């Protein structure tokens, strides 16, 4: 029983936004959604695609601290940028655990019990 390793592909699904403030309706991306396809490296017949959501950190501080340098207007956000933001918030090892559990069951990711003396 072990966690499997997967190859991943990502596809833009969407974003959730919020206005910067009551006075400033500049839309701030607060969460991204990406379709993640996992293909088991040892058995490419084992595959799964799921929409995965990830909140972006620090966006609520924009209300008080102002917009950061390099801020991207919502109309200029690309699919590739959303995927990059998602990948920056998620660890591949965590995805391996999640997709192993979804495809093969909880037993595959359960810790191996130590023999008792």
């Amino acid at each position: 029983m072990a966690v499997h390793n997967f190859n991943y592909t990502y596809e833009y699904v969407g974003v959730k936004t919020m206005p910067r403030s009551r006075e400033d309706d500049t839309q701030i991306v607060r969460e991204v959604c990406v379709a993640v396809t996992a293909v088991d490296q040892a058995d490419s017949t084992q595959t799964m695609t799921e929409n995965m959501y990830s909140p972006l950190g620090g966006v609520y501080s924009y209300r008080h601290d102002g917009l950061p340098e390099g801020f991207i207007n919502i109309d200029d956000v690309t699919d590739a940028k959303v995927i990059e933001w998602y990948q920056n918030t998620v660890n591949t090892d965590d995805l391996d655990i999640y997709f192993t559990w979804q495809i093969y069951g909880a037993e595959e990711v359960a810790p191996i019990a130590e023999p008792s003396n």
Side-chain angles (χ1 to χ4, degrees):
M1 315 254 176
V3 172
H4 294 241
N5 295 93
F6 294 86
N7 292 319
Y8 295 101
T9 57
Y10 307 89
E11 183 180 342
Y12 170 86
V13 174
V15 297
K16 287 186 180 179
T17 64
M18 66 181 192
R20 180 167 175 243
S21 69
R22 289 182 190 211
E23 297 79 30
D24 183 348
D25 67 352
T26 301
Q27 293 299 299
I28 309 294
V29 175
R30 64 181 177 88
E31 182 178 66
V32 297
C33 181
V34 173
V36 178
T37 299
V39 178
D40 192 321
Q41 292 178 3
D43 180 359
S44 63
T45 66
Q46 298 301 315
T47 183
M48 181 178 178
T49 299
E50 187 164 327
N51 287 352
M52 306 292 279
Y53 299 83
S54 185
L56 301 180
V59 297
Y60 292 97
S61 69
Y62 295 171
R63 293 180 177 196
H64 305 293
D65 300 337
L67 299 173
E69 189 171 317
F71 176 81
I72 303 170
N73 187 301
I74 190 69
D75 293 334
D76 298 325
V77 173
T78 64
D79 295 1
K81 181 52 82 174
V82 170
I83 291 167
E84 177 187 325
W85 288 337
Y86 174 80
Q87 290 175 314
N88 288 341
T89 64
V90 176
N91 184 315
T92 304
D93 292 339
D94 293 338
L95 288 176
D96 286 344
I97 292 167
Y98 177 78
F99 282 103
T100 298
W101 171 56
Q102 291 299 306
I103 295 171
Y104 297 101
E107 312 78 45
E108 285 289 307
V109 295
I112 299 172
E114 294 291 324
S116 58
N117 291 341

